[in-house]
Amino acid sequence: MNLIEERVAMARASTNPFVISRLPSGWLVIGDVQPLPGYCLLLADPVVPSLNALDARQRMEFLHDMAMVGDALLAVTGCDRVNYEIWGNSEPALHAHIMPRYATEADGKRQRPACMGYSWSDSPSSSVDEYKDLKDKLRAYLEQKYQTV
């Protein structure tokens, strides 16, 4: 079982402390670390290897949910834009990294993908208490705007 499969299983069992919300296509979770405030992931449920493993309706649902999370991040964090990344190379299960980007980022970092400009190992941990307010605001936005949960 890979990390994404483990995290989805924990979300289903209500034991994943990083869960923000259940969306139609999967689970929205805050990143384990915060290279930039508000970094989230959308974990597909059911777990599939890639976007291409989904049928047309499921693909649209996943991509729609991903954009909904971006809308929530724009509203809640005040970020300037949102980056979306689907790789699945080291964890071969569909998940999207959803990264708010800020005008206040240093030159040289702001123009690069976050994974190239920031160190995950040096980033602050997403402690449950510290990010509770952010998680609550994202959840409330999604519930109010999209009535998804």
Side-chain angles (χ1 to χ4, degrees):
M1 184 179 287
N2 67 43
L3 181 61
I4 303 304
E5 292 168 323
E6 289 175 12
R7 295 297 173 90
V8 167
M10 290 171 64
R12 289 176 186 157
S14 299
T15 59
N16 184 336
F18 298 104
V19 168
I20 296 169
S21 186
R22 175 66 162 112
L23 300 176
S25 69
W27 298 93
L28 176 62
V29 298
I30 194 160
D32 291 10
V33 295
Q34 294 291 292
L36 289 161
Y39 165 56
C40 296
L41 296 94
L42 178 58
L43 313 178
D45 187 2
V47 177
V48 294
S50 72
L51 190 64
N52 303 95
L54 300 175
D55 65 30
R57 182 194 57 76
Q58 292 169 316
R59 288 177 190 188
M60 287 189 302
E61 190 171 67
F62 187 84
L63 295 172
H64 179 260
D65 286 353
M66 193 172 66
M68 286 176 32
V69 172
D71 290 343
L73 285 168
L74 286 164
V76 169
T77 68
C79 64
D80 292 324
R81 66 178 299 116
V82 178
N83 290 168
Y84 306 90
E85 300 176 9
I86 299 174
W87 291 8
N89 298 325
S90 62
E91 298 296 339
L94 178 58
H95 62 287
H97 299 264
I98 308 170
M99 183 69 71
R101 301 304 300 260
Y102 300 90
T104 55
E105 293 177 60
D107 288 339
K109 289 189 176 193
R110 187 175 56 251
Q111 296 84 4
R112 303 180 78 187
C115 65
M116 297 173 72
Y118 294 89
S119 167
W120 263 237
S121 61
D122 294 335
S123 296
S125 174
S126 299
S127 70
V128 175
D129 293 337
E130 184 178 352
Y131 288 94
K132 183 183 182 321
D133 186 51
L134 174 63
K135 289 169 51 178
D136 290 345
K137 287 179 180 177
L138 289 170
R139 183 181 307 108
Y141 180 92
L142 291 167
E143 287 175 353
Q144 188 248 350
K145 181 77 174 175
Y146 300 99
Q147 300 175 355
T148 58
V149 292

